[in-house]
Amino acid sequence: LRTETLSAMAPVPAGFAADVRDGLLRSGQKEIPSKYFYDELGSALFEAITVLPEYGLTRADERILRRHAVDIVSRLPAPVIVAELGSGSGRKTRWVLEALSRRHPVTYHPIEISATALARCAREMSSIASVSVVGFERPYLDGLLAAAARRVEGEVLLVLFLGSTIGNFDRHAGEHFLRQVRGMLREGDALLLGADLVKSIPAMLAAYDDPTGVTAAFNLNLLGRINRELDANFDLALFQHVARYNEVEQRIEMHLRSRVAQTVLVRGLEMVVHFEAGETIWTENSHKFTPMEIVSLAERTGFRCDAQWLDQEWPFAQNLLVAR
Ligand code: AVI
């Protein structure tokens, strides 16, 4: 009854039902896109991941910005306006906005499909003196187009794409995405791209399979979300979180492995899904990079890599790509 009430109240996001149906009915490897991790519970679990001792990525990202924000923004001619793909954690973006606002008043455009995340970010950033926030509740590229259209002559647009979200795209899709971003920029505009670097395999595996089980909960919540929004009856205890490192593709792959042979009913999609014992649903790729790979990725997508800042504690690169 509770499930029925919830599914009646919560509108199913446009693509979610279709992607779950297609991904679970696939004849070979079952698959659900990782963008569906981030419902309210999933976003809270991701926040918890960012403070796990084993997951150094977010701290490294922030450490570089804290230490080098002044240097980063000094490489751009004033005046600069900022658009961020994903409204991000205020803690990271604040360093860049504060460094810029010491030079001149700054307009900041967070771009985010979650209204809650956008509102939280707008609230936090508006507290910085000389920063005005105009957010866009839209997909990345739609929002970027809107932000770019609002700038006035002479303003340089700085796009922030932090946290190594680029690593969650397949390599081809990531490259295509950067080309699309470049297409919305003018020569001299910039993209600050955060990218997690290849490191020791045990360190990478621990980051995606922490002993506390937070990443496992984050992964399993995808099945919980299908239960809640599509009225399914996944028993989460019958699935196991799996993180593997694929050395050829240089990426962590996350799966949910069925512990037993079982059949699951997804009432909202009027379908049943069969799992063999040991069969998996592929839920995420998290690609890792070398600094040189970022330089050549920049070159191939219409940018030049103006500078890179590396964190020593947790190999991570902040890359300033300038549109050429
Ligand atoms: C958001 N993204 C960069 C994270 C990552 O590291 O790929 C998502 C994540 N998945 C498991 N832990 C964190």
Side-chain angles (χ1 to χ4, degrees), residues 299-312:
E299 287 296 326
R300 290 198 302 276
T301 52
F303 294 94
R304 105 188 116 70
C305 186
D306 188 66
Q308 281 183 327
W309 294 265
L310 306 186
D311 189 71
Q312 296 310 326

Side-chain angles (χ1 to χ4, degrees), residues 38 46 49 55 57 163-165 168 208 215 218 254 284 286 288:
Y38 303 92
F46 179 67
I49 287 176
Y55 190 82
L57 190 159
S164 202
T165 301
N168 297 131
Y208 292 84
T215 310
F218 174 70
M254 293 205 322
E284 187 180 56
S286 189
K288 306 301 164 192

Side-chain angles (χ1 to χ4, degrees), residues 60-109:
D61 195 11
E62 193 206 340
R63 210 159 32 234
I64 301 176
L65 294 178
R66 174 158 41 87
R67 290 191 185 146
H68 301 289
V70 172
D71 184 16
I72 293 170
V73 306
S74 73
R75 291 171 175 271
L76 300 171
V80 175
I81 68 161
V82 179
E84 181 165 18
L85 307 178
S87 60
S89 122
R91 289 214 340 253
K92 283 189 267 174
T93 310
R94 177 173 283 271
W95 301 108
V96 176
L97 295 180
E98 282 180 351
L100 277 170
S101 67
R102 278 185 220 121
R103 304 198 303 184
H104 55 71
V106 183
T107 303
Y108 168 59
H109 299 294

Side-chain angles (χ1 to χ4, degrees), residues 277-297:
E279 186 181 354
T280 71
I281 309 172
W282 193 350
T283 52
E284 187 180 56
N285 285 325
S286 189
H287 291 85
K288 306 301 164 192
F289 302 88
T290 63
M292 271 317 291
E293 268 171 354
I294 301 291
V295 173
S296 47
L297 182 61

Side-chain angles (χ1 to χ4, degrees), residues 29-38 42 46 49 55 57 163-170 204 207-209 215-216 218-219 222 241-246 249-256 280-288:
Q29 173 70 63
K30 294 179 170 57
E31 201 175 327
I32 300 176
S34 60
K35 64 181 175 186
Y36 296 118
F37 280 142
Y38 303 92
F46 179 67
I49 287 176
Y55 190 82
L57 190 159
S164 202
T165 301
I166 188 69
N168 297 131
F169 287 73
D170 285 342
M204 289 190 282
Y208 292 84
D209 195 5
T215 310
F218 174 70
N219 199 4
L222 198 50
H241 165 67
V242 177
R244 308 176 183 141
Y245 185 66
N246 180 330
E249 301 290 345
Q250 269 180 221
R251 67 186 182 207
I252 290 283
E253 299 172 354
M254 293 205 322
H255 291 251
L256 289 163
T280 71
I281 309 172
W282 193 350
T283 52
E284 187 180 56
N285 285 325
S286 189
H287 291 85
K288 306 301 164 192

